[in-house]
Amino acid sequence: MPEISDPRIAGSPSAVADAEFALLLTHDVDRPYKTVQSLYHAIERRDPRQLRALLPGENPWWQFETIASLEASLGVRSAFYFLRERHLLERPPSDWFDPFYWIEHFGRYDPETPEIADLLERLHEGGWEVGLHGSYDAYDDRNRLRVEKETLESALGDEVRGGRQHHLNRGPRTWEHHRSIGLRYDASPGSSETFGFDHGHLPLRPFDDEFVVFPLTVMEAALTDPGEDFETAWAECEGLLDEAAANDAVMSALWHPRLFTETDFPGYRRLYRRLIERALEMGAWVGSPGDYYDLMDHPGGETEASEATETEGTADEARANRTAAESDYRSRLRSPQVEDNKVKTGANTESTG
């Protein structure tokens, strides 16, 4: 049996303890509605039918039922991380002229709207995990993260245990913020441009307590486009599964819901199913990070940090630190790809050691 400090599960239930490795399934809900992309696709593909997505009741990127049906047919569950990005008018005027924020604005949604709230309820009741997708600037803003978490929990009617930052953003204190507001895990470290076990084969415990970090092994955008070369994309996935099995690893995969739209992103749905099927054939435990977290051995003690003992600095210092961190991050951010919304973010450079 692993030591308490070992982040792997301790052997309960036995079916999990006997698994060859673990595959954690996640979905970042960035853009559940297709908007300006319809215009681009209609022009780029010379296909006026793309404009149907702008009609009431037409939304090809609403793929939640498709994903749930696919996973249920394989006997697995995943995590959906929901985002509450700020409205453009909630941002400082300097951001109004940044094309990046316009793209974020056109894709935004609110978890408290009836349609999303109903979706949260159905996912939760069906055994899927609902988690937090911290907004673009929230990685270094504890208060904003807390409000976003509370907003999501209010819409869900239950607690949120973990999540992933939008664009994989992470600063020196992001995990402290997560831990302080009551999150039990983070799944942000990773890249949309490369894949692999760059942060090791096991989860991390940055504070040597119950707070756990699940590094991202593969985002679908980092793979060869399966619509153009499915076999190469599958070989990349199969190589990761083989490495996971050889190292008793905890592997994490991210597939954005909109990429299950076959007409816009052919091959990604098929590749996701094949990844899960092969992992199950290999004897892997497959499920959500939250479910895996519950099966882990955890050290004793409190998970929440005491905010009273932390040195926050003055408001001006905090604001200056956030501005510098955001400026540095934006300088490393690739231009968003409006045509398909597979935004490349680059590898996270914050240390996980």
Side-chain angles (χ1 to χ4, degrees), residues 51-118:
L51 298 176
R52 289 184 59 190
L54 299 174
L55 297 175
E58 295 285 340
N59 182 23
W61 285 5
W62 188 274
Q63 292 289 317
F64 301 103
E65 288 77 11
T66 296
I67 298 170
S69 295
L70 185 158
E71 292 176 350
S73 72
L74 298 173
V76 302
R77 295 295 187 268
S78 62
F80 289 84
Y81 300 139
F82 284 86
L83 172 71
R84 200 284 183 186
E85 190 57 68
R86 285 194 293 171
H87 192 284
L88 191 65
L89 296 179
E90 296 179 67
R91 296 189 174 280
S94 59
D95 289 344
W96 298 353
F97 304 99
D98 187 335
F100 174 83
Y101 286 117
W102 277 98
I103 294 172
E104 291 297 304
H105 172 76
F106 282 128
R108 72 181 299 276
Y109 61 95
D110 192 330
E112 293 184 301
T113 59
E115 185 175 37
I116 298 293
D118 178 67

Side-chain angles (χ1 to χ4, degrees), residues 25 64-78 126 128 260 269-270 272-278 280-281 286:
L25 305 175
F64 301 103
E65 288 77 11
T66 296
I67 298 170
S69 295
L70 185 158
E71 292 176 350
S73 72
L74 298 173
V76 302
R77 295 295 187 268
S78 62
W128 279 269
F260 285 79
R269 185 193 304 179
R270 176 187 170 200
Y272 182 72
R273 172 181 281 277
R274 190 164 179 181
L275 176 73
I276 298 173
E277 289 174 336
R278 180 59 181 146
L280 293 172
E281 290 170 0
V286 181

